[in-house]
Amino acid sequence: MLEPRFGGGVLLLWLLLVPRMVESAIGVNWGTISSHRLKPTTVVALLRQNKISKVKLFEADSDVMKALMGSAIQVMVGIPNEMLPLLSSSPAAADLWVRQNVSVYVGRGGADIRYVAVGNEPFLSSYNGQYQNLIMPAILNIQQSLVKANLAGYIKLVVPCNADAYQSSALPSQGTFRPELTQIMSQLVQFLNSNGSPFVVNIYPFLSLYNNGDFPQEYAFFEGTTHAVQDGSNVYTNAFEGNYDTLVAALTKLGYGQMPIVIGEIGWPSDGAIGANITAAKVFNQGLINHIASNKGTPLRPNAPPTDVYLFSLLDEGAKSTLPGNFERHWGIFSFDGQAKYPLNLLLGNKELKNARNVEYLPSRWCVANPSGDLNDVVNHIRLACSVADCTTLNYGGSCNEIGEKGNISYAFNSYYQLQMQDSRSCNFDGLGMVTFLDPSVGDCHFLVGVTDKGSDSSTSQTMAPSHQWWTLVLLLILHGTFLLSM
């Protein structure tokens, strides 16, 4: 474990003397639920190559935090929803969390942690209020812990909210928070305002299009539309502005119409569903970036764009749940191995994305269907392979959906084979698979080659990190309580 480098008073003085950027900036979300995970140091180098100065994390993964130390990249670190019951009920747990996940990494030469995100979309309607009453107690406990650590003047608490926290019958100006959230939102925005924190919201025009067959496709983008929304004297030509101003209206009704807003997540997937493709992802993300850079703002906030915008996401995450849709694994502007999917100008100094360097790949070989094998009994093998590996590109709307039956079988076999680090036994499939040194990729359907992750934790431990961290806190609290009782 890394030790803090300064005493609390000296640390606070150093933090307050560091100049803070206040202009609107493009950042990225860095998720780690991946079957083929790049080394965190490789990802940090990728961020720096692309001059990305802000990153949002969903948890305080120790390898990631260590890699970010000394990088000058501003960090928003998240607390998983699963930890809210403990952190809301125990100030000691909050102290431990801050000590283990914040204090230990900050200081000269450390990680530049600017925000702690308490929960992730905790007011999502599908949670049925599960976390609703835990947010404010957790925030107050974490805030006190930051005060004790002399960090509260520098590190701000936020709560990333899904756009379903607010609603409008038809027009952005009629926006209000959901009735059952009015009280908690009033408390939350009052806290955010008094502590100089922004309101963080996740906006997904793609999901509006995906979930609503009547949604006008062109309204999801920034290229103009024949389905503009007229709201009094204001005209909305894209879903982002309409959604954003619905939030502005909801905040105004609570008395906080000027509260700074940060876009915590926004993007477009490149595979896994109809409408999720490389072309659409490029058009949406470039349109968004250009819109933010223009500083024109929105009708309710002219010339005042969001404080920051975090693209979702940096890398594909091939082990994410597909419950919302197969596209969930394909949000990255980079593929899992840090290779740019399409030209994108982030307007940060490079005209196009730069690929990750020094990626350590497995050998160039693939597992495919044996042409001499009897493939009539292959269904169970495919089911096994795809229950472990990512086969979402094979589904309707995916980039590998139209490569034929043998192509589908080969893709499933290879995905499993690469996940098993090319163990020769994993390409057997009762004699139905064979290893080839010829790339079987077809058109836009790319057969992957896995990456090695020597020097970092295994993919399994990474995907289980939040629950592991939760149990570590519980154990420490038990030991802490035992120690107090013995005094």
Side-chain angles (χ1 to χ4, degrees), residues 474-484:
V474 171
L475 178 60
L476 287 170
L477 277 173
I478 293 173
L479 294 174
H480 179 71
T482 303
F483 171 76
L484 290 178

Side-chain angles (χ1 to χ4, degrees), residues 172-188:
S173 63
Q174 297 174 357
T176 59
F177 288 105
R178 297 201 321 260
E180 70 273 22
L181 296 179
T182 301
Q183 183 177 0
I184 182 68
M185 281 298 177
S186 296
Q187 296 171 351
L188 175 59

Side-chain angles (χ1 to χ4, degrees), residues 142-420:
I142 294 291
Q143 178 71 9
Q144 285 305 307
S145 299
L146 290 175
V147 170
K148 293 175 187 175
N150 291 315
L151 295 172
Y154 185 79
I155 298 174
K156 304 299 182 182
L157 298 184
V158 294
V159 179
C161 294
N162 187 280
D164 84 339
Y166 48 90
Q167 58 192 12
S168 171
S169 59
L171 304 175
S173 63
Q174 297 174 357
T176 59
F177 288 105
R178 297 201 321 260
E180 70 273 22
L181 296 179
T182 301
Q183 183 177 0
I184 182 68
M185 281 298 177
S186 296
Q187 296 171 351
L188 175 59
V189 296
Q190 183 177 0
F191 172 88
L192 297 175
N193 184 66
S194 63
N195 286 277
S197 298
F199 191 99
V200 178
V201 63
N202 302 338
I203 296 177
Y204 284 104
F206 169 78
L207 295 181
S208 298
L209 181 64
Y210 179 79
N211 293 320
N212 183 357
D214 296 326
F215 192 89
Q217 180 170 334
E218 59 187 19
Y219 188 66
F221 296 90
F222 296 86
E223 310 299 307
T225 179
T226 57
H227 295 82
V229 173
Q230 186 80 37
D231 186 358
S233 60
N234 295 325
V235 179
Y236 292 88
T237 60
N238 62 78
F240 169 75
E241 287 189 348
N243 196 310
Y244 187 90
D245 274 4
T246 303
L247 170 59
V248 172
L251 289 170
T252 301
K253 290 178 176 64
L254 294 181
Y256 295 91
Q258 300 304 313
M259 172 167 283
I261 296 174
V262 164
I263 307 300
E265 298 177 24
I266 187 169
W268 200 278
S270 61
D271 211 332
I274 295 295
N277 55 68
I278 294 291
T279 300
K282 179 183 184 302
V283 169
F284 178 85
N285 283 328
Q286 193 64 69
L288 170 71
I289 292 165
N290 294 343
H291 183 281
I292 299 301
S294 72
N295 288 320
K296 76 172 191 176
T298 62
L300 291 186
R301 286 195 175 177
N303 306 312
T307 304
D308 291 311
V309 176
Y310 293 86
L311 292 177
F312 191 86
S313 64
L314 179 65
L315 302 165
D316 281 351
E317 296 178 82
K320 285 189 72 177
S321 169
T322 58
L323 189 60
N326 293 315
F327 55 81
E328 275 298 312
R329 297 179 175 178
H330 303 281
W331 288 98
I333 56 176
F334 293 92
S335 54
F336 74 95
D337 55 352
Q339 305 306 297
K341 295 180 182 178
Y342 45 83
L344 186 67
N345 187 351
L346 298 176
L347 302 181
L348 298 175
N350 298 332
K351 291 184 178 180
E352 292 187 358
L353 298 176
K354 295 182 178 295
N355 295 331
R357 300 171 181 166
N358 304 317
V359 177
E360 298 176 8
Y361 290 94
L362 296 171
S364 296
R365 56 189 180 217
W366 298 263
C367 178
V368 296
N370 190 333
S372 62
D374 182 0
L375 300 177
N376 290 324
D377 298 323
V378 77
V379 174
N380 287 335
H381 293 295
I382 292 179
R383 185 178 293 117
L384 169 65
C386 293
S387 69
V388 179
D390 177 27
C391 299
T392 52
T393 60
L394 293 176
N395 293 289
Y396 183 62
S399 60
C400 298
N401 179 244
E402 299 180 354
I403 61 173
E405 181 182 11
K406 283 193 175 181
N408 289 342
I409 296 169
S410 295
Y411 188 91
F413 281 5
N414 183 65
S415 296
Y416 182 80
Y417 174 66
Q418 302 297 338
L419 188 61
Q420 301 302 320

